[in-house]
């Protein structure tokens, strides 16, 4: 089997890339995916988001190494598996980050990655329900919609945010992110618009695109310095697929460095540790892991109209099921993080460095603590948008089926902790303003007793989670630790590019799905231009 282009990983970036490359009927594209076809009765139901913590079919369900900065805790690390990748299991919030994030990438020497350069790719992918504008596209494959919100407290959160002094922002993907408001979502007609639904389903009949699902890539093979084929295992049977022109890795922030290292490309010591011969030493592979640390202030709710697994909540859920099955309406047709915003931790910060999410429920650890979900509550989450701490991903074994070792090193940098302490105070100020103040009862976490910096720091270290936005582990740049150049080509090798979250030099100040899709779109443009 041989294709012109082989794409390894059919996630947010990979699906977009496959769709764009195969628009040219003169080329053939093979799209390799370790997971299945990304279909199933629950995967497209937005409100079933939390169930993915327990469903192995769509989720790699990794656990991190114990993290010193977060009291030695291991962090649950969901990653999507199947055609659609992490867009099959994400919370569907559509946010690009701040324009200055991309300008910074360009300022680091990455030509073609300033916001003005990448905006056309964001616009091309998008079918925004508000129509086309300077910032938005209306005719792309990816639905970006204003979704009706059935949680009354959500709009009171926005009003409380405005009362607390933050501006109302109707479009976080417009001129700037600052302020509070409703998010837009990758949801269409009450269904999750994963990259499978957006980019792959509509073109399933294209004869020049072959989707090789249930095929786990175990190694990239090289002739001289050129990547020429990929070893795969499907249901226990090994086989090899060739690439006439290029192999493009889109296996995500963990899968991409893992596959590189299994193929002898990476830091010499990390390979030697597992007896893997060094084919091409690239010390940056697996380094620079960045994610958004997330903490929350939670309150008992005085109303019973949020999401909960308490008896009243279960009755609501029954009604929700009926409304959804009767026409894909109601709370199962929306995300559980309907509103939020972007704020500055301190007055001197220019571009908002904190992201807010309001959830009409109590949850911890991706909802895996069911006892918490059984209470009625409201939570104000705050993410650090541009943390300084970085971690790493390495092999745990030369076995390609073994999960990678993931060390987030969250809160390693004291500035990150300090900013989150400020963040908690901002959240408290919003949550206790009218009109939201009428909804909340006692503060449950950190609890009214925690007031000093030291008390809040202790809370941050004991409870901080990451936001499931890992990036940066094969970063773009031109220094010794860079893995790809600004055309996404792996330094020192031929015929091999990377296009996924791992190439981000720094994390974007917001949820990462839109940026990954843009990277897939942009990669298609680069490949096409280089070929022509
Ligand atoms: C629980 C959760 C909630 C999130 N919520 C949001 C949100 O609301 N908004 C937002 O913008 N972002 C969100 N994100 C983040 C966002 O979804 C990801 O950043 C984005 O999907 C990553 O895209 P990617 O292309 O880099 O990788 P992925 O989409 O993860 O794709 C990688 C693909 O490669 C496949 N793969 C890996 N290894 C191999 C191999 N060896 N062989 C073959 N295939 C392989 C994987 O199975 C997967 O399909 C969330 C993520 C998670 C997990």
């Amino acid at each position: 089997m041989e294709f012109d282009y082989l794409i390894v990983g059919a996630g947010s970036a990979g699906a977009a890339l496959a769709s764009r490359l195969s628009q040219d009927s003169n080329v053939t594209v093979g799209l390799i995916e370790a997971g299945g076809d990304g279909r199933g009765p629950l995967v497209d139901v937005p409100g079933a988001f939390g169930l993915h913590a327990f469903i192995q079919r769509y989720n790699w369900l990794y656990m991190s190494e114990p993290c010193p900065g977060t009291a030695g805790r291991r962090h649950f690390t969901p990653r999507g598996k199947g055609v659609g990748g992490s867009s099959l299991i994400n919370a569907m919030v559509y946010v690009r980050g701040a324009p200055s994030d991309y300008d910074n990438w360009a300022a680091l020497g990455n030509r073609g990655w300033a916001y003005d350069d990448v905006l056309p790719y964001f616009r091309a992918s998008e079918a925004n329900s508000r129509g086309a504008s300077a910032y938005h596209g209306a005719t792309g494959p990816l639905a970006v919609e204003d979704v009706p919100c059935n949680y009354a407290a959500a709009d009171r959160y926005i009003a409380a945010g405005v009362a607390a002094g933050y501006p109302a922002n109707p479009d976080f993907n417009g001129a700037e992110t600052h302020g509070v408001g409703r998010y837009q979502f990758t949801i269409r007609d009450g269904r999750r618009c994963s990259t499978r639904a957006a980019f792959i389903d509509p073109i399933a009949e294209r004869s020049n695109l072959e989707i090789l699902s249930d095929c786990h890539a175990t190694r990239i093979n090289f002739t001289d310095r050129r990547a020429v084929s990929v070893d795969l295992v499907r249901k226990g049977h090994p086989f090899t697929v060739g690439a006439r022109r290029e192999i493009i890795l889109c296996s995500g922030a963990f899968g991409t460095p893992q596959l590189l290292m299994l193929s002898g490309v990476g830091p010499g010591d990390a390979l030697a540790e597992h007896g893997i011969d060094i084919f091409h030493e690239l010390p940056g592979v697996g380094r620079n892991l960045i994610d958004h640390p997330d903490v929350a202030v939670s309150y008992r709710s005085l109303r019973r109209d949020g999401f909960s697994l308490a008896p009243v909540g279960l009755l609501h859920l029954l009604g929700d099921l009926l409304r959804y099955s009767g026409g894909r309406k109601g709370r199962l047709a929306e995300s559980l993080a309907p509103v939020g915003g972007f704020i500055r931790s301190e007055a001197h910060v220019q571009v908002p460095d904190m992201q807010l999410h309001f959830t009409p429920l109590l949850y911890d650890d991706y909802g895996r603590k069911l006892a918490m979900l059984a209470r009625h509550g409201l939570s104000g989450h705050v993410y650090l948008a541009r943390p300084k701490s970085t971690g790493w991903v390495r092999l745990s074994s030369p076995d390609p089926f073994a999960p990678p070792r993931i060390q987030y090193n969250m809160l390693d940098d004291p500035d990150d902790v300090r900013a989150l302490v400020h963040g908690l105070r901002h959240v408290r100020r919003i949550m206790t303003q009218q009109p939201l103040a009428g909804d909340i009862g006692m503060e449950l976490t950190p609890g009214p007793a925690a007031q000093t910096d030291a008390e809040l720091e202790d809370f941050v270290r004991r409870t901080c989670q990451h936001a499931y936005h890992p990036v940066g582990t094969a970063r773009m740049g031109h220094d010794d630790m860079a893995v790809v150049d600004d055309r996404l080509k792996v330094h020192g090798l031929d015929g091999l590019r990377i296009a996924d979250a791992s190439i981000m030099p720094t994390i974007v100040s917001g949820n990462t799905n839109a940026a990954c899709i843009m990277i897939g779109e942009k990669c298609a443009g680069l490949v096409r231009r280089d070929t022509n």
Side-chain angles (χ1 to χ4, degrees):
M1 225 195 281
E2 204 175 40
F3 299 88
D4 291 320
Y5 299 103
L6 263 186
I7 299 169
V8 186
S12 296
L17 173 63
S19 158
R20 295 305 187 190
L21 281 185
S22 61
Q23 276 173 343
D24 178 356
S25 57
N26 294 316
V27 303
T28 57
V29 178
L31 178 59
I32 296 164
E33 170 53 46
D37 63 7
R39 294 172 196 287
L42 286 177
V43 76
D44 290 341
V45 180
F49 162 74
L51 291 177
H52 296 304
F54 309 98
I55 304 179
Q56 212 172 0
R57 181 168 170 198
Y58 307 113
N59 198 333
W60 292 89
L61 300 174
Y62 293 143
M63 282 307 282
S64 81
E65 302 281 305
C67 184
T70 59
R73 287 176 296 129
R74 291 176 185 271
H75 294 273
F76 179 58
T77 299
R79 296 319 297 159
K81 181 158 90 177
V83 177
S86 295
S87 76
L88 292 172
I89 63 166
N90 70 13
M92 297 154 287
V93 175
Y94 182 84
V95 160
R96 297 172 184 169
S100 58
D101 295 330
Y102 303 93
D103 293 342
N104 286 340
W105 293 3
L108 291 170
N110 299 301
R111 282 158 307 161
W113 290 89
Y115 193 60
D116 283 351
D117 300 318
V118 298
L119 181 57
Y121 297 101
F122 280 117
R123 292 184 74 241
S125 60
E126 194 188 7
N128 198 298
S129 59
R130 298 178 188 174
S133 69
Y135 291 102
H136 295 288
T139 54
L142 182 74
V144 177
E145 302 209 340
D146 293 306
V147 174
C149 174
N150 292 283
Y151 295 102
D155 283 333
R156 290 196 283 273
Y157 173 90
I158 299 174
V162 172
Y166 307 96
N169 186 340
D171 183 7
F172 298 124
N173 301 299
E176 68 162 320
T177 55
H178 191 214
V180 290
R182 281 196 184 191
Y183 287 115
Q184 287 199 293
F185 294 93
T186 46
I187 293 177
R188 176 181 279 146
D189 295 334
R191 283 207 179 101
R192 170 189 292 276
C193 186
S194 64
T195 55
R196 188 217 74 221
F199 290 93
I200 298 299
D201 287 355
I203 58 160
E205 301 306 314
R206 258 184 213 167
S207 59
N208 62 335
L209 171 67
E210 184 150 349
I211 296 168
L212 300 154
S213 52
D214 294 307
C215 288
H216 192 116
T218 56
R219 188 181 173 85
I220 309 155
N221 302 304
F222 297 88
T223 298
D224 299 325
R225 309 300 292 167
R226 185 169 194 84
V228 291
S229 64
V230 177
D231 290 344
L232 303 175
V233 175
R234 180 186 248 165
K235 297 191 175 129
H237 299 293
F239 64 108
T240 300
V241 184
R244 278 185 290 266
R245 293 190 186 175
E246 288 195 37
I247 294 171
I248 305 163
L249 304 185
C250 301
S251 301
F254 303 124
T256 287
Q258 184 181 24
L259 187 55
L260 284 170
M261 288 189 266
L262 288 168
S263 313
V265 179
D269 60 336
L271 304 184
E273 190 187 342
H274 297 290
I276 296 172
D277 290 340
I278 302 170
F279 173 72
H280 178 55
E281 174 134 24
L282 268 180
V285 172
R287 305 293 292 274
N288 191 46
L289 170 63
I290 320 171
D291 203 332
H292 296 129
D294 167 29
V295 285
V297 186
S298 64
Y299 298 84
R300 194 183 294 281
S301 170
L302 297 179
R303 303 179 203 263
R304 296 286 177 265
D305 57 357
F307 180 91
S308 121
L309 298 181
V312 180
L314 288 173
L315 267 181
H316 278 306
L317 200 53
L318 200 60
D320 294 336
L321 279 169
L322 292 174
R323 286 191 72 195
Y324 193 80
S325 49
R328 294 200 301 275
K329 299 258 185 292
R331 305 193 306 179
L332 289 180
E334 64 180 280
S335 166
L336 276 166
V339 297
F342 294 84
I343 61 170
R344 304 180 176 113
S345 60
E346 295 178 82
H348 65 83
V349 175
Q350 289 196 331
V351 178
D353 60 342
M354 316 237 75
Q355 183 174 359
L356 306 172
H357 283 282
F358 169 78
T359 58
L361 74 160
L362 299 174
Y363 78 93
D364 191 15
D365 194 18
Y366 195 105
R368 297 191 313 155
K369 291 194 180 142
L370 292 179
M372 258 189 109
L373 280 169
R375 302 165 78 181
H376 295 277
L378 302 170
S379 314
H381 283 253
V382 58
Y383 298 172
L384 185 54
R386 294 184 298 279
K388 293 183 180 170
S389 310
T390 61
W392 47 258
V393 54
R394 286 169 90 113
L395 298 177
S396 61
S397 142
D399 174 3
F401 296 95
R405 287 177 65 201
I406 298 164
Q407 173 54 266
Y408 287 104
N409 263 338
M410 262 190 303
L411 311 185
D412 185 40
D413 191 304
D415 284 354
D416 292 353
V417 185
R418 213 187 46 176
L420 284 170
V421 166
H422 285 299
L424 287 174
R425 293 200 169 107
H426 284 283
V427 172
R428 273 180 168 163
R429 207 166 61 237
I430 295 174
M431 298 289 286
T432 52
Q433 297 288 328
Q434 290 297 357
L436 189 62
D439 288 55
I440 62 165
M442 193 175 77
E443 182 181 303
L444 297 171
T445 62
Q451 294 296 337
T452 65
D453 283 0
E455 287 159 351
L456 291 176
E457 171 171 343
D458 175 63
F459 173 74
V460 167
R461 291 202 184 275
R462 279 188 296 103
T463 64
C464 174
Q465 301 288 339
H466 60 106
Y468 321 124
H469 299 156
V471 307
T473 50
R475 76 167 164 81
M476 173 168 65
H478 303 278
D479 56 297
D480 290 348
M481 295 302 282
V483 176
V484 295
D485 65 16
D486 51 26
R487 308 193 70 71
L488 302 181
K489 293 180 172 175
V490 175
H491 286 295
L493 296 172
D494 293 325
L496 187 63
R497 291 192 214 232
I498 300 176
D500 59 25
S502 63
I503 67 105
M504 295 190 200
T506 56
I507 196 163
V508 295
S509 312
N511 317 63
T512 43
N513 189 41
C516 292
I517 294 170
M518 176 278 287
I519 290 166
E521 294 260 14
K522 167 118 182 147
C523 182
L526 292 170
V527 168
R528 237 179 275 127
R529 228 163 301 142
D530 284 353
T531 313
N532 293 336

